[in-house]
Amino acid sequence: EFEYDKVLNILIAKGKVEIKDNLKDYIIFAEEITYLKNQEKIFTSGKTKALINSKYNFLTKDIVFLRDEMKLSSSKKTEIIDDEFTSYKLDKFEYLLTEKILKGLNIEVTTNSNLSKNNMDIYQFKDGIFNLENKNFLASDTKIRIKKDTFEDERNDPRIYGVSSEKIGNITTLNKAIFTSCGLNDNCPPWSIKADKITHDKDKKKIVYDKSILRIYDFPVFYFPKFFHPDP
């Protein structure tokens, strides 16, 4: 059902509403929408699904869609899954459809979300900016949990924590970071490497540490101005 206000140029539609634009390649599904035609602004109420560029599935609530700016946003918890099974969970988000840029708060990114937890890499960020097309990002307060069998031992819990992070191409950098592969426990890990900067070069299959300290049970043991090792 729908109601159209001819004076205000506002359309309210209810019940299995579908908004489809073949040219700009998006479909939005909702139970209720309000379309402010003069402002080219659409609001949805309740659960909302959107398929963007035929590859990004948005599962959210109460979105605002600015058609002139091609900007989609919501202040409700959202999950986005792409066609490579990368999942983005956010407390709130803003997405620019043309640039494929996602901004959000309290973000959890999971690779291989279709597989078991032991085969996933899990990234957590306080906030960040992500390019969904090339997977580049810039983020703060970063925690990366690498799949458990990375070092061929599922008792490990390899992880890297940093105050900020950036990915450009196949190079990921974490600043003021700490790495360990020890199992999770309530105490400090048996060993860890703390560094001003940790860089992972996927092409060279190498992890590089700048100004790093090897710590054993939180006690500094060795200082390395520069240190590197092959990635798994």
Side-chain angles (χ1 to χ4, degrees):
E1 62 179 87
F2 74 89
E3 175 184 305
Y4 177 59
D5 187 318
K6 197 172 182 180
V7 176
L8 297 177
N9 205 11
I10 295 175
L11 172 69
I12 298 174
K14 299 179 182 180
K16 298 181 180 179
V17 184
E18 179 180 321
I19 304 166
K20 188 173 185 179
D21 189 322
N22 289 324
L23 186 63
K24 295 182 178 178
D25 195 9
Y26 66 79
I27 310 173
I28 299 172
F29 304 91
E31 284 303 308
E32 181 177 338
I33 67 125
T34 301
Y35 179 23
L36 310 182
K37 184 68 177 70
N38 292 341
Q39 300 176 46
E40 287 297 345
K41 182 183 289 188
I42 295 172
F43 300 93
T44 72
S45 297
K47 288 185 178 180
T48 305
K49 295 180 181 180
L51 178 61
I52 310 295
N53 302 129
S54 302
K55 64 187 297 184
Y56 306 116
N57 283 285
F58 286 68
L59 307 173
T60 184
K61 292 180 180 178
D62 303 343
I63 67 164
V64 178
F65 181 38
L66 307 179
R67 295 188 70 233
D68 285 345
E69 299 177 36
M70 291 294 286
K71 182 165 72 175
L72 191 71
S73 63
S74 173
S75 59
K76 300 296 176 67
K77 289 184 181 296
T78 298
E79 181 174 16
I80 305 162
I81 304 173
D82 69 15
D83 59 352
E84 296 177 344
F85 299 105
T86 300
S87 164
Y88 302 79
K89 293 180 180 178
L90 315 93
D91 279 358
K92 62 185 295 186
F93 81 91
E94 179 181 292
Y95 181 62
L96 304 177
L97 280 73
T98 305
E99 294 87 351
K100 299 181 176 64
I101 296 296
L102 175 70
K103 301 176 184 179
L105 291 177
N106 298 324
I107 307 144
E108 181 177 284
V109 181
T110 304
T111 65
N112 303 319
S113 62
N114 58 322
L115 301 178
S116 68
K117 194 169 184 178
N118 286 354
N119 292 300
M120 298 175 179
D121 292 333
I122 300 173
Y123 301 72
Q124 294 176 315
F125 311 95
K126 182 179 179 182
D127 53 43
I129 302 171
F130 302 81
N131 186 312
L132 295 193
E133 187 169 35
N134 58 28
K135 305 288 176 71
N136 289 345
F137 63 77
L138 180 65
S140 68
D141 287 353
T142 302
K143 295 181 179 180
I144 302 176
R145 297 277 303 277
I146 305 164
K147 58 185 179 180
K148 288 176 70 66
D149 64 353
T150 295
F151 295 99
E152 299 181 352
D153 186 346
E154 291 195 0
R155 294 173 298 177
N156 288 331
D157 284 295
R159 56 201 182 275
I160 307 174
Y161 297 166
V163 298
S164 64
S165 60
E166 180 180 28
K167 179 180 179 292
I168 301 176
N170 283 327
I171 296 178
T172 303
T173 303
L174 288 93
N175 299 303
K176 303 294 182 185
I178 185 167
F179 168 77
T180 184
S181 64
C182 297
L184 290 168
N185 58 57
D186 294 332
N187 303 312
C188 62
W191 72 268
S192 63
I193 300 175
K194 191 175 183 180
D196 279 5
K197 183 169 71 173
I198 299 177
T199 304
H200 179 211
D201 189 324
K202 250 183 151 180
D203 291 331
K204 295 181 179 178
K205 294 181 168 53
K206 187 165 69 173
I207 297 175
V208 180
Y209 302 80
D210 288 330
K211 297 180 181 177
S212 59
I213 298 173
L214 173 64
R215 304 176 76 92
I216 305 296
Y217 286 107
D218 223 18
F219 289 97
V221 177
F222 289 111
Y223 170 75
F224 305 97
K226 200 87 167 178
F227 172 71
F228 71 91
H229 61 77
D231 71 10

